Amino acid sequence: MNSVRAFAPATVANVSCGFDILGFAIDAMGDVVEVRERNEPGLQVVSITGDGGRLPFEAEKNTCAVAIKAMLDELGQDIGMEIYLEKGLPLGSGMGSSAASAVAALVAANRLLGEPFEKKQLLPFAMVAEKVACGAGHADNVAPSLLGGFVLIRDYHPLDVIKLHVPDGLHCTLLHPHFELKTSDSRSVLRDSVSLKHSTIQSGNVAGLIAGLFQEDFELIGRSLRDVIAEPYRATLIPGFYEVKEAVKAAGALGMGISGSGPTLFALSKGEQTVQSIIDAAQQVYDSIGLGVDTYHSAINTQGAFVLE
Amino acid sequence: MNSVRAFAPATVANVSCGFDILGFAIDAMGDVVEVRERNEPGLQVVSITGDGGRLPFEAEKNTCAVAIKAMLDELGQDIGMEIYLEKGLPLGSGMGSSAASAVAALVAANRLLGEPFEKKQLLPFAMVAEKVACGAGHADNVAPSLLGGFVLIRDYHPLDVIKLHVPDGLHCTLLHPHFELKTSDSRSVLRDSVSLKHSTIQSGNVAGLIAGLFQEDFELIGRSLRDVIAEPYRATLIPGFYEVKEAVKAAGALGMGISGSGPTLFALSKGEQTVQSIIDAAQQVYDSIGLGVDTYHSAINTQGAFVLE
């Protein structure tokens, strides 16, 4: 019986000033999905590991199955598949966990079917799964997990996804404190309107970040990692946020922000030299407030999801 | 007696989605200022041509004199200079007229003094003049007029000005209808706050425009020339705005927006091939509403202000 396994990386969405429009993929970790041909029609989630028993097996709720179903619907085919999900990413962490599962499932299933779709064409199916998982069909996690690198979602109507240049040596450290923050809570603290002044400041920083990536100007990237729209509200939900930010910047980080809707924080740095200092500095703050933290670090992933041969 | 003449180009500020943070310089026209040594201290505006007698000669109101005064104050010197201003730009048009005068004056005076400042260092002095001329010390006209090219003002505190890549062949057509729009009126129609949704859309388009410039992707530049924050309000003050926009886009323009605070409109195109069609299409609309229009077109100026040898 034919089977394909695929890997999809973790992602950092928003990236401070890029609220709802930017995301990037990291090498450090991700999810693996195996898809096997099945003799009868329908999708069956056969096994899920690494989730502590929390993810649903029902095909209409499981993001892998939902994504594959959307793809098969587009093809007008009712092909049977078994799904085996190996979670590498913690749930509800802000590292694009649901996105990675959906993307890995799509890349595996697409290969199993003889690749009727190009990689980029899988995006809308992953967004259907995000809608089921998160309540909103955002693309700022699924697009970088699928395509790799730094990705801009310029528009949704129609979908306009642009892969940006990533300078060599740009490194990301993730700090995942041991508590869970619901995306819905993290979104509910946002305001429906922003001042013209803050909107303009945010635009300036987004423009600076994009220019910094293309010009490979690490200092400019660092200066531009400033979010005046979401961070001031979300930071109040994340213990130690400003202390950690101050500490990691003093330790050499270019800047720090909230990964997705949190509670994971991401810090960017030039190369790996300062990573251990950044981790030590953050660890010290979390120790002082009695909160455990897992840390990861890696280069920016530029490949995106791929089939494991 | 020593004298120096300098030229500073016209500029398009805002550039649709880049409200208050982006501007670019154009080759088509600009202002010329001659500065001459004077035997006694103090600045004297000796002549102004091309302004129809409307600009002030008083040193504390004339943008050329105000800018040079700010520079001399920084040097702690009270050197006498005569100022001869040749206006090439129409006043109150939204083409950076006051900025070009201040910048040309600074570049000439700086050379006369033996260049105590690098070009970029003249920017704060030009902003002092903008404050006198427009009531706000914006840099989105003076920075591109001084430095040339497409310029991002990422931040004002401290000032962070970034020169962006400009693709070869990017061409600008300016449409200057025969009526005057006060900057204060154009600013007063803006709202103090914007919806989170519109702020996010604006950010996406700014990011798309910057990426389009670096990737030399003319279609992306065109798609990104969309302003949901200022244009919907300002367009109501500009007769025929939407008709002209539709006509020039149908004629091959990548996109069109308001130059600065208007009433001049700018259209970008790939190369010069479509320029005549763009001008004809706009002319037809202005004819139909009985409004005269002056048109100009040129490549993006990448040099900025310079001394005329």
Side-chain angles (χ1 to χ4, degrees):
Chain A
M1 196 184 292
N2 279 331
S3 75
V4 179
R5 285 176 87 218
F7 169 87
T11 46
V12 171
N14 292 342
V15 197
S16 289
C17 53
F19 177 71
D20 269 5
I21 61 166
L22 284 180
F24 64 82
I26 58 162
D27 267 336
M29 53 185 171
D31 285 358
V32 171
V33 174
E34 182 172 339
V35 174
R36 294 185 196 169
E37 269 185 27
R38 194 178 171 217
N39 288 332
E40 49 190 317
L43 301 174
Q44 186 186 12
V45 181
V46 177
S47 83
I48 305 176
T49 60
D51 69 325
R54 294 174 56 195
L55 289 176
F57 279 77
E58 300 95 308
E60 62 276 13
K61 289 186 188 166
N62 181 285
T63 54
C64 299
V66 170
I68 294 175
K69 175 77 162 49
M71 180 173 74
L72 292 175
D73 285 350
E74 177 70 21
L75 286 173
Q77 297 185 355
D78 188 13
I79 296 166
M81 292 187 197
E82 292 179 350
I83 296 165
Y84 301 76
L85 168 58
E86 306 160 34
K87 287 299 296 179
L89 298 180
L91 310 184
S93 61
M95 290 190 265
S97 173
S98 61
S101 297
V103 166
L106 284 166
V107 168
N110 190 44
R111 172 66 67 88
L112 193 73
L113 296 170
E115 306 208 326
F117 296 104
E118 287 176 34
K119 215 176 180 190
K120 205 169 174 174
Q121 292 177 307
L122 299 174
L123 202 48
F125 313 134
M127 288 167 66
V128 173
E130 281 289 78
K131 183 147 192 176
V132 169
C134 312
H138 284 292
D140 49 355
N141 286 115
V142 288
S145 185
L146 181 67
L147 305 171
F150 240 95
V151 175
L152 163 67
I153 322 296
R154 191 195 64 82
D155 201 357
Y156 281 89
H157 310 287
L159 188 63
D160 192 7
V161 170
I162 294 128
K163 207 169 159 176
L164 307 170
H165 178 74
V166 180
D168 276 348
L170 188 62
H171 210 82
C172 177
T173 301
L174 289 172
L175 309 166
H176 176 220
H178 291 172
F179 79 101
E180 209 169 310
L181 182 57
K182 281 189 185 169
T183 302
S184 55
D185 288 342
S186 195
R187 202 153 259 275
S188 70
V189 295
L190 299 179
R191 303 298 189 262
D192 289 336
S193 71
V194 300
S195 69
L196 179 59
K197 187 183 168 191
H198 278 164
S199 176
T200 305
I201 290 172
Q202 194 88 345
S203 279
N205 285 310
V206 170
L209 176 54
I210 308 287
L213 289 170
F214 280 101
Q215 292 178 337
E216 308 203 337
D217 181 337
F218 290 90
E219 295 302 319
L220 175 55
I221 291 169
R223 293 198 299 279
S224 303
L225 288 177
R226 188 180 163 215
D227 171 14
V228 296
I229 286 182
E231 185 179 292
Y233 302 109
R234 289 183 165 171
T236 62
L237 304 176
I238 300 174
F241 178 83
Y242 290 108
E243 292 84 348
V244 174
K245 189 175 197 171
E246 198 183 326
V248 301
K249 286 177 84 167
L254 299 167
M256 192 203 85
I258 301 167
S259 179
S261 53
T264 296
L265 308 178
F266 76 95
L268 293 180
S269 57
K270 184 179 179 180
E272 291 190 60
Q273 300 89 325
T274 54
V275 167
Q276 196 53 51
S277 309
I278 290 169
I279 289 173
D280 291 345
Q283 184 77 56
Q284 208 170 349
V285 176
Y286 284 114
D287 283 349
S288 75
I289 57 176
L291 199 60
V293 61
D294 295 321
T295 63
Y296 314 89
H297 71 94
S298 85
I300 307 299
N301 169 306
T302 54
Q303 183 186 10
F306 59 90
V307 170
L308 294 159
E309 305 287 357
Chain B
M1 197 186 293
N2 280 330
S3 76
V4 179
R5 285 177 86 221
F7 169 87
T11 45
V12 171
N14 292 341
V15 198
S16 289
C17 52
F19 176 71
D20 269 4
I21 62 165
L22 284 180
F24 64 81
I26 58 162
D27 268 337
M29 53 186 170
D31 284 359
V32 171
V33 174
E34 182 171 339
V35 174
R36 294 185 196 168
E37 268 185 28
R38 195 180 172 215
N39 288 331
E40 50 190 316
L43 301 174
Q44 187 185 9
V45 181
V46 177
S47 83
I48 306 176
T49 60
D51 69 325
R54 293 174 56 195
L55 289 177
F57 279 77
E58 301 95 307
E60 61 277 12
K61 288 185 187 167
N62 181 285
T63 55
C64 299
V66 170
I68 295 175
K69 174 76 162 53
M71 180 172 74
L72 293 175
D73 285 349
E74 177 70 22
L75 286 172
Q77 297 184 355
D78 189 12
I79 297 166
M81 293 187 196
E82 292 178 350
I83 297 165
Y84 301 77
L85 168 59
E86 306 161 36
K87 285 301 295 179
L89 298 181
L91 309 184
S93 62
M95 291 190 266
S97 173
S98 62
S101 298
V103 166
L106 284 167
V107 168
N110 190 44
R111 172 67 67 89
L112 193 73
L113 296 171
E115 306 209 323
F117 296 104
E118 288 175 34
K119 214 176 182 191
K120 204 169 176 175
Q121 292 176 309
L122 299 175
L123 201 48
F125 313 134
M127 289 167 66
V128 173
E130 280 291 78
K131 182 147 195 177
V132 169
C134 312
H138 284 292
D140 48 355
N141 285 115
V142 287
S145 185
L146 182 67
L147 304 171
F150 240 95
V151 175
L152 163 67
I153 322 296
R154 192 195 63 83
D155 201 358
Y156 280 88
H157 310 286
L159 189 63
D160 191 8
V161 171
I162 294 128
K163 207 169 160 177
L164 307 170
H165 178 73
V166 180
D168 276 350
L170 188 62
H171 210 83
C172 178
T173 301
L174 289 172
L175 309 165
H176 176 220
H178 291 172
F179 79 102
E180 209 168 311
L181 181 58
K182 280 190 185 167
T183 302
S184 55
D185 288 342
S186 196
R187 201 152 260 275
S188 70
V189 296
L190 300 180
R191 303 297 189 262
D192 289 335
S193 70
V194 301
S195 69
L196 179 60
K197 186 182 168 189
H198 278 164
S199 177
T200 305
I201 290 172
Q202 195 88 344
S203 280
N205 285 310
V206 171
L209 177 54
I210 308 287
L213 290 170
F214 280 101
Q215 292 179 336
E216 307 203 337
D217 182 337
F218 289 92
E219 295 302 320
L220 175 55
I221 291 169
R223 292 199 300 279
S224 304
L225 286 178
R226 187 178 164 216
D227 171 13
V228 296
I229 287 182
E231 186 178 291
Y233 302 108
R234 289 183 166 170
T236 62
L237 304 177
I238 300 174
F241 179 83
Y242 290 108
E243 292 85 346
V244 174
K245 190 175 196 171
E246 197 182 328
V248 300
K249 285 177 84 166
L254 298 168
M256 192 202 84
I258 302 167
S259 179
S261 53
T264 296
L265 308 179
F266 76 94
L268 293 181
S269 57
K270 184 178 179 180
E272 291 189 61
Q273 300 90 325
T274 54
V275 167
Q276 196 53 53
S277 309
I278 290 169
I279 288 173
D280 291 345
Q283 185 77 57
Q284 209 170 348
V285 176
Y286 284 114
D287 284 350
S288 75
I289 57 176
L291 198 60
V293 61
D294 294 321
T295 63
Y296 314 90
H297 71 94
S298 85
I300 307 300
N301 169 306
T302 54
Q303 183 185 10
F306 58 91
V307 170
L308 295 159
E309 304 288 356

